[in-house]
Amino acid sequence: MVKRKKTKLENLLNLNRYRKRLGAKQIKSELKNVDYEELKSNIIPGEKPEFLHTNMLKDIKEHLAHLKTAFHGEPELLFYHAKLIVLIRREADLKENFEAFKCLWESEHEFLLEHLNMRWLLSAIDTFIDHDPSVTMRSILLNAVVLINTIKLYETERYLLKIDDADETSYDLERQELTRTSYFHLFDELSSFRIGFDDTLRNMRWRLDDVSSYEPLAHKILINVFDRVNERGSVYTRFRARHEKPRNAWWSE
């Protein structure tokens, strides 16, 4: 059985929730009257660590100081974005900080989509899903989360199976030909993907465009995620390299 979320009463009596907010007032005051253009042009000095563990530290100042190292060499606006997410997750002045977060996205979505890595883009999407009042916005963006988490699972399994370095040149030619000419069942009579010719992803992309068109910001975020997985190393990227039928292409050129 899936563990349930805590009730409102259980959260109300959870002292740890209040401890995590200590010091948030001062942080919030530092984020007032920000100049987006100035933050975009200000590069945080220092060298980014190759890998950074960023589990939440209880002290918010210590947590943000540690987190800041992940943005060394990056525009300060990205760290400002991360600080808002930290405050929101700690439920500090939730309404006000979410409004600041949403205002940032409405004003600077092009910059954020260009510069945020997938980790922080996914964190932003989760924040919208958890707090945006629009059911349509939340529903559209949940597609991006399902897509990325599915890729995260099977790519991790590829690592465990020691095939993480395999690419489309590693395919078994006999099996590849089978998937070009016919289908086979994966599980529960789910048909396999016909490499080179299948229109499944093209049709899915059309549906993504159609459903998300009602929320322009959600559409831009969702399609940005979809484009990334087709360009930056996933099964979408590998199958795209083997696609032969231009009319069935599912990606944007």
Side-chain angles (χ1 to χ4, degrees), residues 62-147:
E62 290 181 13
H63 180 67
L64 289 176
H66 178 65
L67 186 61
K68 187 175 183 178
T69 62
F71 295 93
H72 285 174
E74 302 278 358
E76 191 175 355
L77 189 69
L78 303 186
F79 183 47
Y80 168 71
H81 173 259
K83 285 191 282 189
L84 288 175
I85 291 178
V86 168
L87 290 172
I88 292 168
R89 288 190 177 177
R90 291 175 183 249
E91 300 176 302
D93 296 303
L94 194 52
K95 183 177 179 181
E96 185 176 345
N97 283 317
F98 180 72
E99 286 301 317
F101 170 84
K102 191 166 185 178
C103 179
L104 172 63
W105 267 97
E106 289 173 346
S107 175
E108 300 295 338
H109 58 268
E110 297 292 350
F111 184 88
L112 293 172
L113 289 174
E114 181 181 352
H115 290 88
L116 285 175
N117 59 28
M118 185 62 80
R119 177 202 166 183
W120 283 102
L121 180 55
L122 189 58
S123 293
I125 292 169
D126 284 338
T127 303
F128 275 116
I129 292 172
D130 289 343
H131 301 288
D132 198 278
S134 168
V135 175
T136 304
M137 180 81 168
R138 301 200 307 269
S139 300
I140 290 169
L141 291 179
L142 188 58
N143 288 280
V145 175
V146 172
L147 175 62

Side-chain angles (χ1 to χ4, degrees), residues 167-182 184 193 195-197 239 241-242 244:
D167 59 21
E168 63 275 7
T169 64
S170 306
Y171 293 156
D172 182 286
L173 296 181
E174 185 176 340
R175 289 190 173 190
Q176 180 177 320
E177 185 60 26
L178 173 64
T179 62
R180 293 176 74 256
T181 57
S182 63
F184 61 91
F193 186 85
I195 295 182
F197 302 98
F239 280 7
R242 280 288 183 265
E244 302 172 30

Side-chain angles (χ1 to χ4, degrees), residues 8-249:
K8 289 183 179 180
L9 179 60
E10 286 172 332
N11 277 326
L12 186 64
L13 299 176
N14 184 0
L15 295 179
N16 192 48
R17 292 175 67 228
Y18 303 98
R19 294 191 189 101
K20 290 190 296 185
R21 300 178 200 169
L22 294 176
K25 291 287 185 184
Q26 181 181 344
I27 301 299
K28 189 186 76 169
S29 67
E30 297 171 359
L31 302 183
K32 285 187 175 180
N33 303 316
V34 297
D35 184 326
Y36 293 158
E37 293 302 319
E38 180 180 348
L39 293 182
K40 284 194 288 186
S41 61
N42 184 24
I43 304 301
I44 298 175
E47 186 174 342
K48 183 185 298 188
E50 184 176 348
F51 185 80
L52 180 71
H53 287 284
T54 53
N55 293 332
M56 183 182 288
L57 301 174
K58 287 188 178 181
D59 185 284
I60 190 170
K61 293 182 180 178
E62 290 181 13
H63 180 67
L64 289 176
H66 178 65
L67 186 61
K68 187 175 183 178
T69 62
F71 295 93
H72 285 174
E74 302 278 358
E76 191 175 355
L77 189 69
L78 303 186
F79 183 47
Y80 168 71
H81 173 259
K83 285 191 282 189
L84 288 175
I85 291 178
V86 168
L87 290 172
I88 292 168
R89 288 190 177 177
R90 291 175 183 249
E91 300 176 302
D93 296 303
L94 194 52
K95 183 177 179 181
E96 185 176 345
N97 283 317
F98 180 72
E99 286 301 317
F101 170 84
K102 191 166 185 178
C103 179
L104 172 63
W105 267 97
E106 289 173 346
S107 175
E108 300 295 338
H109 58 268
E110 297 292 350
F111 184 88
L112 293 172
L113 289 174
E114 181 181 352
H115 290 88
L116 285 175
N117 59 28
M118 185 62 80
R119 177 202 166 183
W120 283 102
L121 180 55
L122 189 58
S123 293
I125 292 169
D126 284 338
T127 303
F128 275 116
I129 292 172
D130 289 343
H131 301 288
D132 198 278
S134 168
V135 175
T136 304
M137 180 81 168
R138 301 200 307 269
S139 300
I140 290 169
L141 291 179
L142 188 58
N143 288 280
V145 175
V146 172
L147 175 62
I148 294 303
N149 284 341
T150 301
I151 290 174
K152 187 175 183 178
L153 285 175
Y154 82 72
E155 290 291 343
T156 301
E157 185 179 47
R158 277 168 53 85
Y159 174 80
L160 297 177
L161 294 170
K162 297 184 178 180
I163 58 172
D164 49 307
D165 291 331
D167 59 21
E168 63 275 7
T169 64
S170 306
Y171 293 156
D172 182 286
L173 296 181
E174 185 176 340
R175 289 190 173 190
Q176 180 177 320
E177 185 60 26
L178 173 64
T179 62
R180 293 176 74 256
T181 57
S182 63
Y183 296 98
F184 61 91
H185 289 162
L186 299 171
F187 65 91
D188 203 17
E189 297 193 22
L190 175 66
S191 298
S192 60
F193 186 85
R194 289 186 64 207
I195 295 182
F197 302 98
D198 209 307
D199 62 2
T200 303
L201 295 183
R202 180 204 63 182
N203 294 341
M204 184 181 79
R205 171 59 189 267
W206 285 349
R207 292 181 181 113
L208 288 177
D209 283 332
D210 181 53
V211 170
S212 65
S213 64
Y214 300 98
E215 285 278 1
L217 178 56
H219 169 79
K220 289 180 180 179
I221 295 172
L222 174 60
I223 298 306
N224 180 276
V225 169
F226 189 77
D227 287 344
R228 289 193 196 199
V229 303
N230 279 280
E231 297 169 358
R232 303 187 186 182
S234 73
V235 69
Y236 285 81
T237 319
R238 295 188 288 272
F239 280 7
R240 171 180 172 175
R242 280 288 183 265
H243 200 68
E244 302 172 30
K245 198 171 183 179
R247 188 168 63 85
N248 285 352

